[in-house]
């Protein structure tokens, strides 16, 4: 598979799907759902210029420290965790940079809340009701901004962001509440300015995934998620240690 990818016989999307499968990830298990990277960092421009490297996320860094400002907090947390290990009743736990994970069941339901069976699963998780509107997935630009502002939010993406426009629309008319401050009703997901429809978002996002920039840097993200930077000294150095 690696050789096929290097020879450009399979797409970046296909390569990631196959890597996920080999790693034991599957659509049949929300706790081991396929994981895909955030690949862009420009969700505010009117036009998306895929020839400009500045529109892409730095794929060599975990999502929690793509914003350089978060790196200091993450490093301090790692040191702090070591100093308070004696407080844990079950003995010493390994140090970590992030107390949550880049892929988990709640995160999958968060993104897919508008489509069944994920709507029902989300409601079950939240004890019979929708979570409060401010915590819902309601805007792609806002989700990216939350990642930049908060080193504790480390959710990567799911494959649907590259082929399934329906998950961005509230086709079932669910009452997802309204945001506290703006009183805005949460309905269809708000898209970046450069996408006029869910279909256009998926088309451009997939094009970005297959771009020259991502093709040249995707291996750096793969090292973090599937490769040698998952644990050990390389993971510590890359600020990539998870609880």
């Amino acid at each position: 598979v690696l050789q096929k990818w290097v020879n450009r016989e399979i797409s970046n999307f296909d390569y990631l799907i196959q890597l996920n499968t080999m790693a034991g990830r599957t659509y049949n298990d929300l706790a081991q759902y396929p994981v895909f990277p955030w690949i862009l960092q420009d969700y505010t421009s009117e036009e998306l210029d895929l020839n400009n490297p500045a529109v892409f996320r730095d794929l060599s860094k975990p999502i929690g420290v793509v914003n350089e400002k978060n790196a200091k907090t993450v490093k301090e947390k790692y040191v702090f965790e070591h100093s308070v290990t004696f407080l844990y009743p079950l003995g010493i736990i390994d140090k970590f940079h992030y107390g949550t994970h880049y892929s988990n069941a709640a995160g999958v339901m968060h993104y897919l809340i508008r489509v069944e069976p994920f709507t029902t699963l989300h409601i079950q998780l939240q004890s019979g009701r929708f979570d409060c509107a401010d915590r819902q997935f309601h805007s792609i630009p806002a989700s990216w901004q939350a990642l930049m502002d908060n080193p504790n939010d480390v959710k990567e993406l799911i494959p649907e962001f590259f082929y399934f426009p329906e998950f961005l629309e509230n086709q079932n008319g669910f009452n997802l509440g309204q945001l506290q401050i703006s009183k805005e009703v949460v309905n269809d997901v708000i898209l970046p300015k450069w996408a006029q429809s869910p279909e256009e978002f998926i088309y451009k996002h997939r094009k970005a995934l297959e771009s020259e920039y991502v093709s040249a840097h995707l291996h750096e993200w793969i090292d973090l998620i599937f490769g040698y930077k998952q644990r050990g000294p390389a993971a510590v150095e890359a600020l990539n240690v998870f609880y």
Side-chain angles (χ1 to χ4, degrees):
V1 172
L2 172 63
Q3 206 49 56
K4 277 187 172 177
W5 178 61
V6 170
N7 295 344
R8 301 198 173 207
E9 291 166 26
I10 59 172
S11 65
N12 291 338
F13 181 89
D14 287 336
Y15 185 46
L16 285 172
I17 282 287
Q18 295 200 46
L19 272 180
N20 271 284
T21 304
M22 289 175 208
R25 291 183 169 272
T26 167
Y27 286 104
N28 299 322
D29 182 355
L30 289 184
Q32 291 291 338
Y33 207 76
V35 57
F36 267 56
W38 284 91
I39 53 169
L40 295 171
Q41 60 177 1
D42 180 357
Y43 297 96
T44 52
S45 297
E46 300 285 344
E47 296 293 327
L48 182 65
D49 178 7
L50 294 178
N51 294 315
N52 177 6
V55 306
F56 294 96
R57 165 238 178 133
D58 183 345
L59 287 160
S60 69
K61 294 177 178 173
I63 197 68
V65 290
V66 165
N67 182 350
E68 200 57 54
K69 284 193 290 204
N70 292 339
K72 185 167 176 278
T73 313
V74 166
K75 282 178 189 164
E76 283 169 357
K77 182 176 186 175
Y78 188 78
V79 173
F80 174 74
E81 286 301 335
H82 188 53
S83 62
V84 297
T85 43
F86 60 88
L87 296 175
Y88 295 108
L90 298 175
I92 290 177
I93 60 161
D94 292 335
K95 293 191 280 183
F96 56 86
H97 292 118
Y98 313 103
T100 57
H101 206 244
Y102 53 76
S103 169
N104 57 35
V108 176
M109 289 181 239
H110 173 77
Y111 287 136
L112 295 176
I113 188 171
R114 289 164 180 79
V115 288
E116 290 289 14
F118 305 97
T119 312
T120 299
L121 291 167
H122 167 90
I123 289 168
Q124 286 170 355
L125 182 72
Q126 297 295 333
S127 311
R129 64 171 75 90
F130 283 114
D131 195 4
C132 83
D134 286 77
R135 285 202 292 266
Q136 306 286 24
F137 173 49
H138 69 275
S139 159
I140 293 172
S143 294
W144 175 257
Q145 198 50 51
L147 288 173
M148 292 301 95
D149 296 341
N150 179 8
N152 298 317
D153 187 354
V154 293
K155 276 192 294 296
E156 289 281 11
L157 297 183
I158 52 176
E160 283 80 354
F161 274 83
F162 300 93
Y163 68 81
F164 185 52
E166 287 79 3
F167 90 101
L168 297 167
E169 297 176 286
N170 187 14
Q171 292 184 352
N172 294 312
F174 294 123
N175 178 3
L176 300 170
Q178 55 184 165
L179 304 179
Q180 273 182 318
I181 295 171
S182 67
K183 301 297 179 215
E184 193 181 338
V185 173
V186 175
N187 193 23
D188 294 346
V189 176
I190 295 165
L191 304 170
K193 286 182 185 171
W194 44 258
Q196 301 308 307
S197 67
E199 289 77 12
E200 187 182 10
F201 171 78
I202 296 292
Y203 170 74
K204 288 183 173 175
H205 203 216
R206 180 69 171 263
K207 212 169 164 182
L209 179 64
E210 303 303 340
S211 67
E212 274 305 311
Y213 180 90
V214 174
S215 297
H217 293 276
L218 188 57
H219 65 281
E220 297 171 346
W221 182 81
I222 289 168
D223 287 340
L224 295 167
I225 307 295
F226 300 106
Y228 77 106
K229 291 184 179 176
Q230 287 178 81
R231 53 173 64 101
V236 175
E237 193 180 336
L239 303 180
N240 193 43
V241 181
F242 290 84
Y243 174 62

